[in-house]
Structures are given as C-alpha cells and as structure tokens.
C-alpha cells in the first residue's frame, strides 16, 4: 500500500479483492477505481481481471472551475458533475461568478 497521502492499493486475484489505503481519502479513491472496473465489466460482459494497482496523486489539488457567471446550472446537473469529478479523483470544485 502506498504510504503517501490519498494513495491506495487495489488487488484482484483468485483469492479475492483487497482495497487498502493509509487514510480515508485513499480508501475513497480505491472504491472509485473498483467501481469503474465493475462498470467496465458490466458493459463488456467480461469477468473481473486479475490485477494490482498502486496509485497516489502527483498533485495535492486536482480540480475543475465552472464559470456560472452567464448561465447558472441546475442543482441536479451540479450534483451529477460533482459525482463524476469524484470518480476521476478530483478533490476541488470551484464556482466562478460575477456580481
């Protein structure tokens, strides 16, 4: 398991599935990666692959800025966007607006 902050390890083999992380954000990111693998398996019909992933962020802040100065987005769109950004391990979401 990477000992770096927000890092995680994911292993899938014949013995089972293991998610490990040194902190809560790392475990969250491990579950997001595992969910992506499950989603791929569901759409392709393939079995879970045997694999080992060790991952950690190269940057402390990973985010997106959304300009809502000219068009305010609907709350359901914003919630969907935040969930998608979490899937891609973004940890910052900034709204830009003018008075």
């Amino acid at each position: 398991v990477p000992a770096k902050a927000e890092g995680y390890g994911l292993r899938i083999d014949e013995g089972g599935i293991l998610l490990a992380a040194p902190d809560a954000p790392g475990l969250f990111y491990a579950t997001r990666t595992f969910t992506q693998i499950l989603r791929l398996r569901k759409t392709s019909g393939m079995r879970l692959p045997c694999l080992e992933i060790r991952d950690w962020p190269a940057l402390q802040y990973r985010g997106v800025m959304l300009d809502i100065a000219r068009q305010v987005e609907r709350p359901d769109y914003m919630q969907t966007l935040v969930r998608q950004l979490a899937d891609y391990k973004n940890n910052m979401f900034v709204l830009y607006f003018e008075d």
Side-chain angles (χ1 to χ4, degrees), residues 34-99:
F34 184 63
T35 301
Q36 291 171 353
I37 293 168
L38 288 177
R39 199 177 305 135
L40 177 65
R41 182 190 72 92
K42 183 178 178 182
T43 59
S44 68
M46 64 183 242
R47 296 177 53 178
L48 279 176
C50 290
L51 57 81
E52 184 169 343
I53 298 172
R54 291 184 189 151
D55 191 23
W56 58 90
L59 301 172
Q60 181 178 4
Y61 300 109
R62 303 162 310 278
V64 171
M65 182 180 74
L66 181 63
D67 182 354
I68 60 169
R70 289 161 190 80
Q71 176 181 344
V72 177
E73 301 294 345
R74 294 177 25 180
D76 59 330
Y77 169 78
M78 300 289 276
Q79 291 173 348
T80 301
L81 180 60
V82 168
R83 287 187 186 105
Q84 289 174 342
L85 292 173
D87 279 346
Y88 295 112
K89 299 164 188 75
N90 283 273
N91 62 358
M92 181 181 289
F93 182 58
V94 179
L95 294 176
Y96 173 80
F97 57 93
E98 297 175 1
D99 55 298

Side-chain angles (χ1 to χ4, degrees), residues 20-37:
D23 54 18
L27 190 57
F28 175 76
Y29 295 138
T31 62
R32 301 317 322 144
T33 298
F34 184 63
T35 301
Q36 291 171 353
I37 293 168

